[in-house]
Amino acid sequence: MLDQGAPPHNGQPAAPPSLGVGARLMRRKPVELLVAEGGRGDGGSLRRSLGLWQLTMISIGATLGTGIFVVLGEAVPKAGPAVTLSFVIAGLTALFSALSYAELAGTIPVSGSSYSYAYATMGELIAWICGWCLMLEYGVSVAAVAVGWGEYLNELLDGTIGVTLPAALSAPPGDGGVFNLPALIVVLLAMAFLMGGARESARANTIMVVVKIAALVLFCAIGVQGFRSGNYENFMPLGMAGVSAAGATLFFSYIGFDAASTKK
């Protein structure tokens, strides 16, 4: 009788049993393998082109772009003057999320953000879902910023030279628009910056972030002179429900910390 543990007659070890569908979907990739693959390109190692300063500016730029210039107009009607509390709630929530991202980034020092973290901890299926959620997140945020930029451009043209783009070419489809030309232009400009290279686009982003910060500081310096305590009457027009709803909207403006872990 043959020994059950003996190798086959050809001297080769038996092949490991194939994994089932469920096991393949939930298999995890070791951190060591993720780190090793992250340092390889086509025939060589990838050159690191973004440092701490560039990644910080990308994160700040994402937050200032959506939170201050776009999302605020959606949150104020819900919270009224209590939008300040909504910012605090959203900021604290984002703070704890960012701390979790920081710990995961230190444990799994690779690019890919939640996709890589989920692949190493929860399995391939969850990582696949997280990856597509990231694609949706950035797609929605880019669309929101592009549409907001188009509205600001239309107001600038109307206030300076008295020219207003027709709604069919400047408004989103939900507001009567057919083709949002300014939004398309800003997306194409961003694409042109990115095609120039990671380092060059990061440099352009840093310049724009400095300009935005300077504009906000100037706005605060001028706006504080017109402070009126009476503007805070009816502080919570919709109560805490409005404050929490506005906080959920404003959390969209804090996704900048995710950009750092995606590109590092």
Side-chain angles (χ1 to χ4, degrees):
M1 180 179 294
L2 294 177
D3 185 2
Q4 295 294 329
H9 66 278
N10 58 5
Q12 298 296 326
S18 59
L19 298 176
V21 176
R24 289 200 300 270
L25 290 177
M26 300 308 297
R27 60 186 173 185
R28 296 178 294 175
K29 181 173 289 189
V31 176
E32 296 78 8
L33 183 57
L34 280 171
V35 174
E37 290 180 350
R40 293 203 307 266
D42 294 332
S45 298
L46 296 175
R47 181 172 58 89
R48 183 181 295 275
S49 57
L50 299 180
L52 176 62
W53 173 256
Q54 289 84 358
L55 291 173
T56 302
M57 289 297 103
I58 289 174
S59 301
I60 295 176
T63 302
L64 291 182
T66 56
I68 303 300
F69 301 115
V70 178
V71 180
L72 191 59
E74 300 291 331
V76 169
K78 301 175 183 177
V83 70
T84 52
L85 297 181
S86 301
F87 264 110
V88 172
I89 294 173
L92 288 175
T93 305
L95 173 63
F96 291 117
S97 298
L99 290 174
S100 300
Y101 266 79
E103 184 172 357
L104 286 168
T107 306
I108 310 172
V110 295
S111 60
S113 186
S114 55
Y115 170 79
S116 297
Y117 306 151
Y119 208 160
T121 57
M122 291 183 287
E124 188 171 345
L125 176 62
I126 304 300
W128 182 82
I129 295 174
C130 288
W132 279 109
C133 285
L134 282 174
M135 295 292 292
L136 177 63
E137 171 190 329
Y138 284 110
V140 171
S141 62
V142 167
V145 173
V147 171
W149 185 87
E151 293 177 358
Y152 282 117
L153 176 63
N154 210 7
E155 294 178 3
L156 177 64
L157 293 176
D158 184 35
T160 54
I161 60 177
V163 175
T164 302
L165 296 175
L169 295 178
S170 61
D175 295 335
V178 177
F179 186 81
N180 197 322
L181 183 61
L184 174 63
I185 291 174
V186 72
V187 171
L188 292 177
L189 288 174
M191 182 187 70
F193 275 116
L194 293 174
M195 291 177 63
R199 187 181 298 274
E200 290 73 14
S201 60
R203 185 180 299 114
N205 174 77
T206 300
I207 295 174
M208 290 187 286
V209 169
V210 172
V211 171
K212 286 191 288 186
I213 293 176
L216 288 174
V217 171
L218 179 62
F219 175 81
C220 293
I222 297 176
V224 73
Q225 302 177 18
F227 176 81
R228 300 290 184 274
S229 60
N231 294 332
Y232 284 89
E233 295 180 0
N234 193 15
F235 188 65
M236 293 184 186
L238 300 179
M240 280 303 299
V243 174
S244 60
T249 302
L250 290 172
F251 183 79
F252 175 72
S253 67
Y254 285 97
I255 61 173
F257 64 84
D258 175 77
S261 61
T262 304
K263 301 174 177 64
K264 66 178 174 54

